Amino acid sequence: MCPQTVFTFLFVWIEEKVEGARNKRIHLDHQPFSLQKVLKKSVKHSLWLVIATITALTFVGYFTPIKTLVADFATFELGFWPLFFIVFFTLCTYGNAGWMRETMCTHMCPYSRFQSSMFDNDTVTVTYDRARGESRGPRPKKLSAEQVKTMGLGDCIDCNLCVQVCPTGIDIRNGLQYECINCGACVDACNGVMAKMGYEPGLISFTSANALKGKAAALLRPKVIGYFIVLLCMIAALSFELITKKPLDIDVVRDRANLYRETLNGSIENVYTLVIMNKEQHAQKVSISTEGLPKPVFHGKLSLTIEGGQMVRHPITIELDSQSIEQAVTPFSIIVTNESGDAVNSDSTFIFR
Ligand code: SF4
Ligand code: SF4
């Protein structure tokens, strides 16, 4: 579930397809510039950039209608901010998965820091079975189990493959380390080695320290109960938010250029822009009213339909008889109500003098 790992593995997979296995890639990096090297590097970086751009488009598409976004992107008609964020997230993806990789995990990832505070000996995590693996060392494949035992060796043949595949570059045989992101790459690598050697799999596996010692895991531990209560509180808070969610949202922006204006018949006008958001997926018909103003006269539509998920900016002018205004600044509310009677309001002021 870690996007950093998923993208890193995807980028490494492309790197392997274009430049070959790890030793070939190191060899290529040390070679002087040649047509073949430039070609391979260009293909790799182009593919990385294509994936990074698709990722950025998808991500920005969560905040703006994606059909228009993709069409505008393809026809070079993007506005400044969508273009800025697409370029920004493209560079982030390309930099993170292509160049930074495990640096992100070891220095910036909050997950590994959380893990260490939540751990205890019953936590299931990627673990090296020290008792079975040590002492480590190479041996001919044809040796029998008894011969290996006589030599004082455990099951680890010290091939270092688990370290080579680790995206954060750690050696899991040194025990639990905060850099470990539980990706399981070392588990797969080591199981492959065990299969080749004719040994049982699971020298590195998802297990707990207590399970390795043969102790049964206690499910109802104080930490588990504590975290369960915290989780329940979070679910309750989220459910409350969802249940009490308003289908509309409103923001009122006053016209700052003219605080008020006087009409020919002596009335006073204030101009506002209502920013109304439809939070539902379907269209909503809404009506606009006010509370706290003496006999307001409106100029502008008081009823409009907003498409699902859309936000509209709706200008409106409110006119008051100057005789009815008692103070320079009159606070009042603008209320937007839908057909089901759900209402949202925003406070504003009517200014005169
Ligand atoms: S699970 Fe293994 S490969 Fe993955 S980060 Fe942890 S030690 Fe490294
Ligand atoms: S992959 Fe397995 S056998 Fe090889 S060094 Fe790591 S733990 Fe030992």
Side-chain angles (χ1 to χ4, degrees):
M1 292 168 75
C2 163
Q4 176 70 18
T5 310
V6 171
F7 275 90
T8 300
F9 279 22
L10 182 60
F11 276 45
V12 169
W13 180 78
I14 289 172
E15 198 168 45
E16 256 179 18
K17 293 288 166 215
V18 178
E19 295 181 1
R22 188 169 179 269
N23 51 347
K24 282 191 183 159
R25 298 203 300 269
I26 295 171
H27 181 66
L28 184 72
D29 283 344
H30 288 110
Q31 273 182 353
F33 268 99
S34 64
L35 184 64
Q36 197 204 27
K37 182 171 177 175
V38 172
L39 202 66
K40 282 187 174 174
K41 294 278 176 197
S42 311
V43 171
K44 180 182 84 173
H45 288 286
S46 305
L47 288 172
W48 281 2
L49 279 169
V50 168
I51 290 179
T53 310
I54 294 171
T55 308
L57 271 170
T58 312
F59 190 66
V60 176
Y62 278 100
F63 303 95
T64 180
I66 195 157
K67 278 185 190 166
T68 331
L69 184 77
V70 173
D72 288 352
F73 179 77
T75 51
F76 304 102
E77 284 175 5
L78 277 179
F80 174 78
W81 285 112
L83 182 64
F84 171 83
F85 280 112
I86 287 171
V87 172
F88 177 75
F89 287 117
T90 300
L91 292 179
C92 282
T93 312
Y94 173 76
N96 285 346
W99 296 93
M100 290 178 69
R101 298 188 180 172
E102 69 274 6
T103 318
M104 286 286 291
C105 313
T106 49
H107 296 290
M108 293 166 78
C109 174
Y111 176 66
S112 54
R113 304 300 196 275
F114 270 112
Q115 274 193 125
S116 39
S117 70
M118 297 172 90
F119 254 83
D120 61 22
N121 284 338
D122 283 313
T123 304
V124 175
T125 183
V126 172
T127 316
Y128 168 69
D129 188 345
R130 176 167 288 277
R132 179 184 153 190
E134 302 296 318
S135 47
R136 64 188 80 158
R139 79 285 314 259
K141 197 178 160 187
K142 55 183 186 292
L143 286 188
S144 68
E146 283 73 35
Q147 287 171 308
V148 172
K149 221 174 192 172
T150 323
M151 289 168 73
L153 290 172
D155 279 358
C156 175
I157 64 167
D158 207 13
C159 61
N160 234 26
L161 211 60
C162 50
V163 183
Q164 282 176 27
V165 296
C166 177
T168 66
I170 59 169
D171 187 345
I172 193 66
R173 294 172 299 171
N174 295 337
L176 187 64
Q177 291 147 79
Y178 76 85
E179 292 97 336
C180 177
I181 53 170
N182 272 289
C183 66
C186 56
V187 177
D188 293 342
C190 188
N191 281 343
V193 176
M194 293 295 107
K196 277 186 194 147
M197 294 299 293
Y199 299 165
E200 284 290 308
L203 178 57
I204 303 175
S205 62
F206 280 102
T207 186
S208 70
N210 276 347
L212 277 180
K213 288 179 196 155
K215 290 187 197 167
L219 260 183
L220 293 178
R221 317 190 294 278
K223 268 195 177 184
V224 175
I225 295 168
Y227 289 131
F228 185 64
I229 291 170
V230 172
L231 185 65
L232 278 185
C233 293
M234 285 160 65
I235 291 172
L238 183 66
S239 307
F240 178 77
E241 282 290 320
L242 284 175
I243 291 164
T244 56
K245 187 187 85 154
K246 295 265 184 196
L248 294 164
D249 201 5
I250 178 183
D251 197 15
V252 178
V253 185
R254 286 190 55 84
D255 181 4
R256 302 234 174 253
N258 285 314
L259 287 183
Y260 70 93
R261 64 179 177 231
E262 222 163 335
T263 62
L264 289 175
N265 61 9
S267 298
I268 306 301
E269 285 182 353
N270 277 204
V271 180
Y272 306 85
T273 301
L274 311 188
V275 184
I276 309 170
M277 183 173 193
N278 179 358
K279 291 193 193 168
E280 299 290 352
Q281 296 295 314
H282 56 83
Q284 293 194 73
K285 197 170 177 199
V286 299
S287 57
I288 299 160
S289 59
T290 58
E291 200 175 86
L293 289 179
K295 293 190 186 151
V297 176
F298 298 98
H299 301 285
K301 283 196 325 191
L302 288 182
S303 160
L304 59 152
T305 301
I306 309 171
E307 294 302 320
Q310 295 293 308
M311 187 174 74
V312 293
R313 297 175 71 83
H314 183 64
I316 195 163
T317 302
I318 300 177
E319 180 185 334
L320 293 186
D321 182 351
S322 58
Q323 301 300 318
S324 67
I325 304 172
E326 292 170 356
Q327 49 197 357
V329 178
T330 310
F332 74 102
S333 288
I334 294 188
I335 304 157
V336 173
T337 314
N338 68 8
E339 283 175 311
S340 319
D342 297 308
V344 284
N345 67 318
S346 179
D347 293 336
S348 191
T349 48
F350 191 93
I351 294 177
F352 176 40
R353 290 192 203 103

